[in-house]
Structure formats: structure tokens, C-alpha cells
Amino acid sequence: METFDQVLEQYTPMIYSVVKRAKVYKNHDDYRHCATIALWNAWRNYEPSYGPFAPYAYRTMLTTIYREMSKENHYEKHCTSFDKETLTFLAQQMEIKNGGQSSCSDIFLKLETIASKEEMELLLDLYYYRYKYDELAEKYHVSVSALKKRRNRLIKRLREELG
């Protein structure tokens, strides 16, 4: 059997073909690396009863890239928090408002109508004062997971309301 270096050299054009077929438009190096790992897994797990190696390797690499793209899309959709700059700006606006100055942005006023006083306090504690979850769990007398769940629900609602 050939060594993996020989297989990699032979199938490098296929790696580029798979990345192009998957229509990768960013992080090309990451997906080429992912395809290389998939080729290594295909080479390691290949048995002649599967048929020719080339189609098996191609399908393995393509499936792995699609799976990785799906994971990345899921992460971007669900795990990326609300813009910290926006929340920091809003917190600063609230501080200005509480300081007696009358300068408030429209988004801040809208945020105040959407979120309750307790929710605003939680946002300020998280994004303006930068408290850790452990500290906030003691302050609010709830578990860390409850705080994270509360924050996630609030951020989801803010995203829906603010567009």
C-alpha cells in the first residue's frame, strides 16, 4: 500500500476540486486542511470492498467539508452574541441619561421599551461592568446556567425586535 505522502501528492488536485465544488468562499485554508484530514481518514479506513479509492476519497472529503460548513453556520447563527460594541454604547448612553444629560439615541429608547428594568441591569452587568457569570450568579441568587439561559433569551428577543 502507498504511503500517505504519496496519496496526498496524487490527490492534491482533488482536494482543490472538492473545495471548489463545495463553493467555499471564505476560510479556504481551513477547508483544504479539513479535506486533507478527510483524505487521511479515507486512506486509513479504505477497504477494497468499497470499490475504487478515488470516488470513496472524493465523497469522504466532500461530506466532511459540508459537515464542517454546517457546524460553522450553526455556530455563527446561534453562538455569536449581540454586538458588544452596540451594547457598550447603549450602556454608556444609559449612564449619560442617569447622569442628568438628555442625550439618548433612538435605539437606546427602543431597547428600554423592549427590556425590563431587571433585564437592562443584567445587560449592564454583563457588557458594561463586565462581571463574570459566577459573580452575577451570587448577585442574582441563581445558577450560572440560568443566567446564561436568561441572557440568551434576552439577546434573541432583542435581535428579533431590533432587526
Side-chain angles (χ1 to χ4, degrees), residues 61-104:
M61 288 187 286
L62 191 61
T63 302
T64 304
I65 287 178
Y66 283 151
R67 193 174 301 130
E68 195 64 32
M69 290 171 88
S70 176
K71 286 179 188 176
E72 187 173 319
N73 290 339
H74 183 269
Y75 177 81
E76 285 179 3
K77 184 177 180 183
H78 292 94
C79 298
T80 306
S81 65
F82 200 71
D83 258 346
K84 289 187 179 182
E85 293 82 24
T86 304
L87 290 174
T88 303
F89 170 75
L90 294 174
Q92 289 170 347
Q93 290 296 321
M94 185 171 184
E95 187 174 275
I96 289 171
K97 182 180 178 192
N98 289 341
Q101 298 179 7
S102 62
S103 171
C104 280

